[in-house]
Amino acid sequence: MIDLFSILTTIFWFLVIITIIVFIHEMGHLLVARLFGVKVEEFSLGFGKELAHYRCKQKTRWKLSAIPLGGYVRFFGDATVFSSEDREKLSKMTKSQKRQAFAFKPVWQKFLVVLGGPFANYLTAFLIFTYIFAAFGRAEITPEVTSVVEGSPAEIAGIE
């Protein structure tokens, strides 16, 4: 029989864990973007209808949205959350605005901003496993013969 409580509990914890992973990933993009002077317009956990938001002193809109299966960071000058450029908006920018726009950054900086998300996830995994191994050590199973079956290859080989 299917236990509804177990299913709902599993779904709940899946959503909690995926939200944490997405937050870390998107934060990696945001931190590297800010390092290179890219203005971040939105940081969203989830997709769809916005449930709540907060605007920080850097003018980034932090959003919590209804569908918690992903997230995104939208940079200044982007037309969509997929970093597609708004050509009309870009052509009207001043020099100081261009310095903050993702579209005008050198390719190597764009590459590092894109790499920031996966790197944050790898770094988090590394830190978690380092802590686990430091705190609990590594499980080691030593081979031990407790019995030998008659006529088995082990007995023929002389193992007692």
Side-chain angles (χ1 to χ4, degrees), residues 56-103:
C56 67
K57 67 180 181 177
Q58 289 89 1
K59 305 273 197 280
T60 300
R61 184 181 175 99
W62 296 77
K63 295 172 33 174
L64 183 62
S65 298
I67 305 169
L69 295 175
Y72 63 89
V73 175
R74 189 166 61 86
F75 303 115
F76 179 64
D78 287 347
T80 68
V81 298
F82 304 111
S83 288
S84 60
E85 299 166 355
D86 184 344
R87 300 260 181 222
E88 185 178 323
K89 192 175 180 182
L90 293 177
S91 66
K92 296 177 183 176
M93 284 186 182
T94 64
K95 282 190 177 196
S96 66
Q97 289 175 322
K98 287 180 179 179
R99 281 195 297 273
Q100 294 181 316
F102 182 73

Side-chain angles (χ1 to χ4, degrees), residues 16-84:
V16 167
I17 297 298
I18 201 78
T19 300
I20 293 168
I21 292 169
V22 168
F23 177 81
I24 291 167
H25 179 91
E26 298 303 334
M27 186 58 77
H29 292 305
L30 179 135
L31 292 174
V32 177
R34 284 192 176 165
L35 177 71
F36 294 127
V38 176
K39 182 178 176 183
V40 179
E41 291 188 331
E42 286 183 351
F43 180 103
S44 179
L45 276 179
F47 299 107
K49 186 177 183 335
E50 181 180 307
L51 302 176
H53 76 273
Y54 165 77
R55 191 172 297 276
C56 67
K57 67 180 181 177
Q58 289 89 1
K59 305 273 197 280
T60 300
R61 184 181 175 99
W62 296 77
K63 295 172 33 174
L64 183 62
S65 298
I67 305 169
L69 295 175
Y72 63 89
V73 175
R74 189 166 61 86
F75 303 115
F76 179 64
D78 287 347
T80 68
V81 298
F82 304 111
S83 288
S84 60

Side-chain angles (χ1 to χ4, degrees), residues 82-157:
F82 304 111
S83 288
S84 60
E85 299 166 355
D86 184 344
R87 300 260 181 222
E88 185 178 323
K89 192 175 180 182
L90 293 177
S91 66
K92 296 177 183 176
M93 284 186 182
T94 64
K95 282 190 177 196
S96 66
Q97 289 175 322
K98 287 180 179 179
R99 281 195 297 273
Q100 294 181 316
F102 182 73
F104 292 102
K105 293 297 177 182
V107 173
W108 69 271
Q109 287 182 1
K110 289 179 184 180
F111 172 75
L112 291 176
V113 169
V114 170
L115 192 65
F119 178 75
N121 290 126
Y122 282 113
L123 180 61
T124 301
F126 175 78
L127 293 174
I128 288 170
F129 282 110
T130 299
Y131 170 75
I132 289 170
F133 289 135
F136 305 107
R138 192 179 90 193
E140 196 170 306
I141 301 171
T142 55
E144 182 180 319
V145 178
T146 56
S147 65
V148 178
V149 178
E150 286 186 40
S152 70
E155 183 186 43
I156 295 169

